[in-house]
Amino acid sequence: MERLQKILAQAGIASRRKCEELILAGKVEVNGETVTVLGTKADPEQDIITVEGKPIRNEKKIYIMMNKPKGVITSAKDPAGRKIVTDYIKGIKERIYPVGRLDYDTEGLLLLTNDGEFANMLTHPKHHVPKTYLATVEGIPHGTDLDKLRAGIQLEDGMTSPAEVEYKDIDIEKNEAVITITIHEGRNRQVRRMFDAISHKVIRLKRVSFGDLQLDNLKRGLYRHLTSNEVEALKNMAKTGKKRKK
Ligand code: URA
């Protein structure tokens, strides 16, 4: 027996939090009875579980990483009709959705899945999966400014946790720098706001790694399936906060 919201998330219906909302909204039935109590348990092998009248299936789990181009929305739908990340994924019938978000103007490594538990584990604030970005910024930040980012900096929603920050490239003529920054949280527009706080506007932002996974030479707009080792490594990291030993 498992909690209903966990069964629904594992069946790829949505994230666990969204599944809880579906239960509370009276959209979930177990053996013909509407269930609105969140702790309710069911047996996914024996019970007939429906969402909005449709039986859930235990779908094959899909785990994809893509190189999101800038100018694309990290969302499963856009009412304004802009390009969305799933427009780039072809030939997959399962309903996959992004794990966390990248801003419209941010490019780079984005995970997509239909495994709600996996998405939940990797985006939950208590799990601290490291994410590395290359930030091209206006001006050349002073070392003491980078130290502030390393130590944690005050943003309007609180202090950031310590980040790893290094110069990657400095272009004196263009008056720009590329900084490698690894953060362990996932607040909204966090990297852009951290650089705003040291008065260096981000002009290009690219995520190059997520946990152990590296974007490497995956071309912009393309994607690949993760290997089972890569999926396991991400799950372990979310559980233990540790990277796989190389
Ligand atoms: N930080 C940002 O500012 N934007 C992103 O898309 C991701 C992290």
Side-chain angles (χ1 to χ4, degrees), residues 103-123:
D103 299 335
Y104 184 70
D105 282 332
T106 302
E107 56 191 299
L109 200 166
L110 181 71
L111 295 173
L112 297 125
T113 188
N114 59 347
D115 181 343
E117 276 298 289
F118 177 80
N120 198 41
M121 275 168 97
L122 290 177
T123 51

